Amino acid sequence: MTIAPHSSPGAGPYGAIPGHAVDTAARDVGDLLAMAIEHTPAQQALVVYDRRCDLNLALTEAYRRALPGAVFIDFDSVTPEQVLAAFATLAARDLVVLIQSTSFRLEAFRLRIELFKRGLKVIEHVHLSRMPGAQGLHYLNALAYDPAYYRGVGRKLKERIDRARGATVDSGEGALLTFGSPLEPAKLNIGDYSGMNNVGGQFPIGEVFTEARDLEAVGGRVRIFVFGDTQFLVNHPEKPITMIVEQGRVTGAIDSTPAFDNMLEIIRAHEGEVWLRELGFGMNRAFSRHNMVNDIGTFERMCGIHLSLGAKHGQYQKPQFKRKDARYHVDVFAVTEAVYLDDEAVYRDGAWRV
């Protein structure tokens, strides 16, 4: 379901988030819990939250309505030891929801990873304070779960990616980025955890991603309308930056900005050159070139193409990179006019067509 912006948001119980938006979010969270996470009343649920921003207040209330039997803990009102003790009461397949204005820190405890090790289901909402005002509505809209779309289109995209001999991203004004090799087996983030070790992850969801098997077979030009800055925030230049890619490396940037040049120089200073790696097929229709949020890790689900700069990619190992030397994975977002797998258009007019 889509939450329309309120005509005059005020200082209600959820700050800038209107009450009707929380009503819709509660229904969407309930669908997500039932269909994606497959949580049942027979399983325990623990929600750890804070109250530091409007989006946290609204999202916590949505979970209160969707999980009436859950235990809720205000992270700022207890000690870390009390939070850890609450985790210890849970059994495998129980659920933990983390609603964080920034990111909860527990000394020597990597929250989601450690919880997954215990066999727990985990829904993680992070950096919500980066998305004030109307951005909070975009975020809540992005939680709506349409299994026919995510699972149907997502699986078809994977099937088509896995058998493609190559790909092309058309970002307009003659800019074509060509992947002249088969692609790595695609990974799915579509709310279907069957056959996976872990259930859950960072939300919102909606992505299929891959990269070229031969990174040096990637070349051409691509127009970038957003990139991640050094604070992991969306940087939106006044006009798109045209990246020049040769043999899998970024060799130039037309209409660049000082911030983009600085990001490239940081990568080159540590890695020697700027590799282009991930080819991400974002599926979340709540985010677009016109509906944006500041947090780059959230905006990564945007419906369209995103790419990564830098040698780091934890999902795909390449012989030319040593894990200890690969330091950077910077998301950049392409103006997406069309996407081709071989000669078949799989994206056009703002939507996936498979």
Side-chain angles (χ1 to χ4, degrees), residues 1-7 9 14 16-22 24-25 28 54-55 58 131-144 286-287 291-293:
M1 303 179 73
T2 298
I3 302 165
H6 195 278
S7 58
Y14 320 110
I17 307 292
H20 71 85
V22 178
T24 303
D28 288 341
D54 294 349
L55 183 51
M131 295 170 279
Q135 292 188 33
L137 297 180
H138 299 328
Y139 187 95
L140 293 177
N141 285 335
L143 297 177
F287 302 132
N291 286 346
M292 296 173 53
V293 291

Side-chain angles (χ1 to χ4, degrees), residues 153-163 185-186 188 208:
V153 173
R155 290 193 186 111
K156 287 178 182 178
L157 270 176
K158 174 177 168 54
E159 186 275 330
R160 191 64 190 84
I161 289 167
D162 289 355
R163 63 181 169 87
L188 296 171
V208 181

Side-chain angles (χ1 to χ4, degrees), residues 75-339:
F75 185 81
D76 293 327
S77 69
V78 299
T79 66
E81 291 74 19
Q82 288 173 298
V83 176
L84 295 175
F87 292 152
T89 66
L90 302 176
R93 310 302 291 175
D94 287 342
L95 172 67
V96 174
V97 181
L98 305 169
I99 305 175
Q100 306 157 91
S101 292
T102 53
S103 181
F104 294 149
R105 298 298 181 194
L106 296 173
E107 187 175 354
F109 193 87
R110 298 173 65 190
L111 269 176
R112 188 172 61 191
I113 293 173
E114 291 299 324
L115 296 173
F116 277 151
K117 286 180 180 178
R118 300 181 185 193
L120 298 169
K121 301 176 181 180
V122 182
I123 296 176
E124 187 171 27
H125 301 280
V126 296
H127 303 305
L128 300 188
S129 63
R130 295 177 179 173
M131 295 170 279
Q135 292 188 33
L137 297 180
H138 299 328
Y139 187 95
L140 293 177
N141 285 335
L143 297 177
Y145 188 65
D146 179 349
Y149 170 67
Y150 281 120
R151 299 185 182 194
V153 173
R155 290 193 186 111
K156 287 178 182 178
L157 270 176
K158 174 177 168 54
E159 186 275 330
R160 191 64 190 84
I161 289 167
D162 289 355
R163 63 181 169 87
R165 299 181 303 277
T168 302
V169 176
D170 179 351
S171 53
E173 299 187 5
L176 299 176
L177 183 67
T178 301
F179 293 72
S181 89
L183 304 170
E184 295 283 5
K187 307 287 187 180
L188 296 171
N189 181 5
I190 57 173
D192 181 3
Y193 303 101
S194 55
M196 296 186 180
N197 292 330
N198 303 320
V199 175
Q202 182 175 327
F203 282 71
I205 60 165
E207 180 184 8
V208 181
F209 62 91
T210 181
E211 70 177 25
R213 291 186 188 176
D214 177 5
L215 295 178
E216 293 194 324
V218 181
R221 297 189 175 200
V222 59
R223 297 169 66 228
I224 300 299
F225 74 94
V226 151
F227 62 93
D229 69 12
T230 56
Q231 302 301 312
F232 306 101
L233 297 174
V234 161
N235 187 300
H236 187 200
E238 286 189 18
K239 65 181 297 187
I241 298 166
T242 300
M243 286 196 321
I244 302 169
V245 181
E246 299 176 288
Q247 294 186 307
R249 290 94 157 169
V250 177
T251 59
I254 301 169
D255 298 322
S256 189
T257 65
F260 190 75
D261 290 340
N262 180 57
M263 184 266 291
L264 294 179
E265 286 306 311
I266 290 172
I267 296 173
R268 289 192 180 103
H270 293 100
E271 297 183 350
E273 48 197 346
V274 180
W275 284 90
L276 187 149
R277 294 205 58 178
E278 182 174 320
L279 172 59
F281 296 65
M283 293 182 62
N284 200 308
R285 295 173 291 194
F287 302 132
S288 69
R289 192 174 173 187
H290 307 289
N291 286 346
M292 296 173 53
V293 291
N294 289 338
D295 180 57
I296 201 74
T298 298
F299 192 59
E300 184 179 4
R301 317 305 189 205
M302 176 211 77
C303 193
I305 289 292
H306 62 271
L307 309 160
S308 75
L309 304 184
K312 184 177 180 181
H313 200 300
Q315 296 295 321
Y316 299 112
Q317 304 304 315
K318 289 290 198 290
Q320 63 264 53
F321 304 124
K322 295 181 180 178
R323 186 181 292 269
K324 65 180 181 64
D325 297 328
R327 296 182 55 177
Y328 293 98
H329 180 108
V330 177
D331 290 311
V332 299
F333 297 79
V335 176
T336 312
E337 297 292 337
V339 181

